[in-house]
Amino acid sequence: MPRVNLSEIEGLDSPAGRALLAEIGRYDPKTALRTATRMRGAGHPAAFVAAALTQARLRDRARVKFGADADEMLFTPEGLEQATRASVAAHRAARFAALGDAGAVADLCCGIGGDLVALARAGLRVDGVELDPATAAVAFANAAALGLAGRVRVRTGDATTADLASYDAVFLDPSRRAGGRRTFDPDAYLPPWSFVVEVLRRTACVKVAPGIPHSRIPAGVEAEWVSDGGDVKEAALWAGSLRTADRRATLLPSRATLVGTGSGRPAVRPPGQWLYEPDGAAIRAHLVAEVATLVGGGLIDRRIAYITSDSRVVTPFATAYEVTDVVPFSVKRLRALLRARNIGPVTVKKRGSPIEPEALRAQLRLSGTEHAVVVLTRMGDDPTVLVCRPPSPTGPPSDLDEAAGTDP
């Protein structure tokens, strides 16, 4: 997709540009050529039409992150790639809202303004700083299009030279791309990691990659991993008065949150009636021990994040599967067992196993009508299969059922 430049953004943010985008509507690749021809025939310059169609395509992609807001926003390809999903940005902004309505936040490397918008909607005054002029123009255009211009200012500049003395808090979203590709190395961030550490000496939040090594998290800083709909989306580091824990896993949309309690390593024990798969945010936050405490369980292997228990406990931090069989791994034996149970569709999960789920499904050649969950793992040095019933949305009541954590 072509790079978006400042003149294109200024044109698209004009009344004529907004009208053209509204006329194009939702992007349809099947009719894009016909639409372009019609727009040029109506007297619109070819470059203007091409820029508008690029925006229509970007809006189409952006609806996954921004929902209906995407139809009012402008984007750059790079900015959309790094932009925070709206649900995650709103969660984060709710934590910043503890600063109060008079709070002023510096949004460094504000990109296309996803977090800028969320912070302003939370009642804060926000000043964005963005190195790329076109992206900075997009950020302010988006705030204005969503009715937030009165709370937002955006300037083009280098985040590392910003004067932060007058702000109550700082939000920083460093670029995590190198050579056009996503990087998981904190030393490849821009601004550099040394600047990140400097910002975290203030009341601040820094967005980081979910795979950040725990060893790189500065002392006295909270690390929070966030999953949305079961998928880990990002991590953030919280410092100063915004810090409320050491490690935290937060689940959206419920905002259930689990914090580190210093629980020791869970005991390793044989599989019980129930197998628990912790949410990815809890695993990333190294809170598997806390999840095991919630369900009263232990690990099936000390190196693998599967928890087992003899009781069913409802918690948002783990999915429970009822175990029907535990057998050594053997395709032939597993096929015979599943066929005897009239199993057809299977969900294959794995931790600590080299077997690829699709390859196993092809080898099983099942044709039954019942559904099963097949878990490939190991216990010690032994490759093992746990056959489970699919999870149900609810389970029997338990005194731990409500141990879901609280909002920060």
Side-chain angles (χ1 to χ4, degrees):
M1 187 172 287
R3 186 177 180 85
V4 177
N5 62 48
L6 179 58
S7 63
E8 289 174 350
I9 295 302
E10 291 173 339
L12 292 169
D13 195 35
S14 69
R18 294 282 179 180
L20 181 59
L21 285 167
E23 189 175 351
I24 291 173
R26 294 211 166 195
Y27 181 79
D28 183 349
K30 296 179 181 178
T31 62
L33 181 59
R34 187 162 62 248
T35 298
T37 302
R38 176 168 55 85
M39 294 296 176
R40 290 194 296 268
H44 296 294
F48 193 31
V49 172
L53 283 170
T54 294
Q55 281 300 318
R57 289 175 62 191
L58 289 169
R59 284 178 168 184
D60 186 62
R61 287 169 48 190
R63 289 186 195 101
V64 173
K65 286 187 173 182
F66 292 96
D69 282 349
D71 294 326
E72 304 298 326
M73 297 172 70
L74 299 177
F75 300 94
T76 68
E78 299 85 357
L80 177 56
E81 181 71 25
Q82 181 152 324
T84 304
R85 181 180 291 254
S87 56
V88 180
H91 159 70
R92 189 159 47 224
R95 294 191 63 170
F96 272 95
L99 297 170
D101 284 347
V105 178
D107 184 351
L108 306 182
C109 308
C110 68
I112 61 167
D115 287 281
L116 193 83
V117 164
L119 290 164
R121 280 177 168 166
L124 298 157
R125 292 181 291 111
V126 194
D127 287 355
V129 179
E130 172 55 46
L131 188 62
D132 177 62
T135 306
V138 167
F140 185 77
N142 288 338
L146 297 172
L148 298 165
R151 287 190 173 272
V152 167
R153 296 184 298 182
V154 181
R155 69 174 180 85
T156 302
D158 184 344
T160 63
T161 64
D163 182 359
L164 304 177
S166 62
Y167 295 98
D168 299 298
V170 176
F171 175 68
L172 169 62
D173 183 2
S175 173
R176 294 172 299 284
R177 303 187 73 82
R181 303 183 65 180
R182 188 175 302 177
T183 179
F184 300 97
D185 179 6
D187 290 323
Y189 287 8
L190 289 175
W193 187 249
S194 58
F195 181 70
V196 171
V197 173
E198 185 66 28
V199 167
L200 288 170
R201 294 191 175 104
R202 300 174 172 269
T203 294
C205 174
V206 177
K207 177 180 170 180
V208 294
I212 184 171
H214 281 234
S215 61
R216 300 303 299 271
I217 299 169
V221 169
E222 173 189 334
E224 178 186 34
W225 282 261
V226 178
S227 67
D228 192 356
D231 295 326
V232 180
K233 295 302 179 184
E234 67 176 59
L237 306 180
W238 298 88
S241 63
L242 294 172
R243 173 183 178 269
T244 57
D246 290 325
R247 289 169 294 141
R248 182 185 300 277
T250 298
L251 316 185
L252 300 178
S254 69
R255 293 195 73 212
T257 191
L258 184 67
V259 300
T261 60
S263 299
R265 184 186 296 273
V268 177
R269 50 155 292 177
Q273 184 180 357
W274 295 93
L275 181 74
Y276 293 87
E277 181 180 28
D279 183 90
I283 295 173
R284 293 275 193 176
H286 293 184
L287 297 178
V288 173
E290 282 74 4
V291 177
T293 298
L294 283 177
V295 303
L299 299 176
I300 62 172
D301 184 283
R302 64 180 179 83
R303 300 159 292 183
I304 296 176
Y306 280 135
I307 299 167
T308 188
S309 173
D310 296 317
S311 59
R312 170 75 161 101
V313 178
V314 178
T315 173
F317 296 102
T319 302
Y321 302 92
E322 188 174 9
V323 179
T324 60
D325 300 273
V326 181
V327 296
F329 177 75
S330 161
V331 173
K332 182 177 180 181
R333 182 172 179 176
L334 180 60
R335 183 192 302 122
L337 188 155
L338 295 175
R339 287 180 175 179
R341 301 281 177 81
N342 190 34
I343 300 298
V346 292
T347 298
V348 180
K349 294 181 168 289
K350 69 165 196 167
R351 289 191 187 279
S353 171
I355 307 299
E356 291 301 322
E358 288 302 323
L360 178 63
R361 287 193 191 94
Q363 290 177 300
L364 290 175
R365 302 190 301 277
L366 301 172
S367 59
T369 59
E370 298 299 318
H371 182 200
V373 176
V374 173
V375 179
L376 306 176
T377 187
R378 67 170 183 261
M379 295 169 56
D381 295 326
D382 301 324
T384 304
V385 179
L386 287 78
V387 179
C388 308
R389 294 190 176 93
S392 59
T394 60
S398 164
D399 60 353
L400 292 179
D401 280 355
E402 300 304 319
T406 57
D407 290 342

